[in-house]
Amino acid sequence: SSGIDASDAIGKNLWELLPALKNYWEHFERAIETNSHVYIPREALNIAGEKYFNITIFPLIKSIAAGDEGVVFMLDDVTEIERKDEQVRHMQKANMLGTLAGGLAHDFNNILCGILGTTDILKMQVNKISKEQVGERLADITGLAKRAADIVRRLFAISRKDEVSMSPVDLDKIVKNVMKICEDTFDKSIELKYVSPEKTAIIKADAVQIEQVLLNLCINSCHAMTIMRDKHEKQGGELAVSISDINADRHFCSTHPEAEEGINYWEL
């Protein structure tokens, strides 16, 4: 419910009644210009409280006599669905972190051993080696420390609270980051293969959510090739990820209702 009585709404401008819808003015104009509906899923709106809605904008049939034109805004409240999905996402994130923990801990331990070992050698040889050799040892320690910091950064990114932040991001960098996590944590019987795009793949998205989705799919694939197989079955296989530039034709649009014909999309 919007909290607005019908008697108070009749004859008034929609933007005055529901200021939150002003942000969809461009979609309103597009629906009229193209005479086609616009669908916007799971938008957060403050209408009688903060809620999530699926928004559909339908153009009205123009009246030739009156010269009128307009649209119908249909708001489907999906707040409860969004909350349940958020709970599922938190569970998936916890499972994912549990799966990665072993591999990352092993990698982190190797790094610490490398730092401690290099430090011990430096202590023993500090009076016997040149300044140049000392610099080389310190560079080794710095490199290992940066690797450790990178592991911590990736864990923080994965475990970050679900605050959607839409911005232009490089899909190629996201995939490379995920593949690096997979390389550090997956069973060595799994061969990782990545086909990068021929040009920069910039999309508007939440980088952390895209990373989490791809990482979940990779973990599922890893499990399908290892722990979900019977003991007598061969373990491992190839896990391939690719990014390609595709043009949406009529067939593509028929199976992807939100796509627009003739528009280029990145396929992950």
Side-chain angles (χ1 to χ4, degrees):
S1 172
S2 65
I4 302 170
D5 291 332
S7 58
D8 295 329
I10 295 173
K12 292 185 179 178
N13 189 300
L14 178 64
W15 317 118
E16 294 173 5
L17 289 168
L18 297 171
L21 295 182
K22 282 184 179 179
N23 294 330
Y24 302 94
W25 176 260
E26 289 183 8
H27 299 289
F28 163 83
E29 288 187 318
R30 193 175 81 183
I32 292 176
E33 288 172 4
T34 62
N35 198 34
S36 59
H37 82 278
V38 176
Y39 176 70
I40 310 158
R42 302 207 178 182
E43 287 285 290
L45 294 174
N46 192 351
I47 297 178
E50 189 75 20
K51 296 178 182 178
Y52 288 89
F53 295 91
N54 287 343
I55 303 173
T56 311
I57 307 173
F58 296 95
L60 291 172
I61 298 173
K62 295 180 182 179
S63 170
I64 298 175
D68 293 335
E69 62 181 8
V71 301
V72 172
F73 270 85
M74 186 170 76
L75 306 179
D76 293 316
D77 190 339
V78 292
T79 305
E80 194 59 34
I81 295 172
E82 178 64 23
R83 284 173 181 163
K84 288 180 179 177
D85 284 353
E86 188 175 347
Q87 290 175 351
V88 171
R89 286 196 296 270
H90 281 302
M91 288 175 61
Q92 288 177 334
K93 190 184 294 185
N95 290 336
M96 181 172 62
L97 288 170
T99 301
L100 297 176
L104 289 176
H106 179 73
D107 196 29
F108 206 86
N109 188 59
N110 287 341
I111 291 170
L112 289 176
C113 287
I115 291 173
L116 292 171
T118 306
T119 304
D120 287 340
I121 292 172
L122 197 56
K123 285 178 180 177
M124 290 187 293
Q125 299 180 344
V126 69
N127 296 320
K128 302 176 183 178
I129 59 179
S130 65
K131 287 184 178 180
E132 184 179 316
Q133 289 174 313
V134 171
E136 289 174 358
R137 294 283 187 272
L138 291 174
D140 291 339
I141 293 172
T142 301
L144 289 166
K146 285 181 177 178
R147 271 186 62 197
D150 187 55
I151 290 174
V152 174
R153 181 193 61 78
R154 282 186 266 131
L155 282 173
F156 271 132
I158 294 168
S159 60
R160 195 187 76 179
K161 189 180 177 182
D162 290 328
E163 295 173 353
V164 178
S165 177
M166 301 290 282
S167 61
V169 294
D170 188 341
L171 196 55
D172 178 55
K173 288 183 179 178
I174 291 174
V175 175
K176 284 178 178 175
N177 191 37
V178 170
M179 297 303 278
K180 175 59 179 169
I181 293 173
C182 294
E183 181 185 337
D184 292 342
T185 59
F186 285 3
D187 189 280
K188 300 308 176 187
S189 64
I190 295 175
E191 179 187 354
L192 298 172
K193 180 181 178 183
Y194 171 47
V195 180
S196 59
E198 295 179 356
K199 56 184 180 181
T200 306
I202 300 296
I203 62 170
K204 187 176 182 181
D206 184 296
V208 173
Q209 287 197 357
I210 292 288
E211 190 169 295
Q212 287 173 359
V213 168
L214 181 57
L215 195 50
N216 272 330
L217 290 171
C218 289
I219 289 172
N220 290 346
S221 301
C222 170
H223 286 174
M225 291 186 280
T226 53
I227 62 175
M228 291 179 69
R229 287 185 176 173
D230 291 335
K231 290 182 179 180
H232 65 274
E233 288 185 281
K234 182 182 177 182
Q235 298 289 296
E238 182 183 270
L239 173 55
V241 180
S242 66
I243 300 173
S244 56
D245 187 14
I246 63 167
N247 186 266
D249 56 18
R250 187 172 299 176
H251 173 71
F252 183 86
C253 292
S254 67
T255 54
H256 301 77
E258 294 174 34
E260 295 182 35
E261 192 171 343
I263 300 294
N264 277 45
Y265 293 92
W266 288 110
E267 183 179 58
L268 173 60

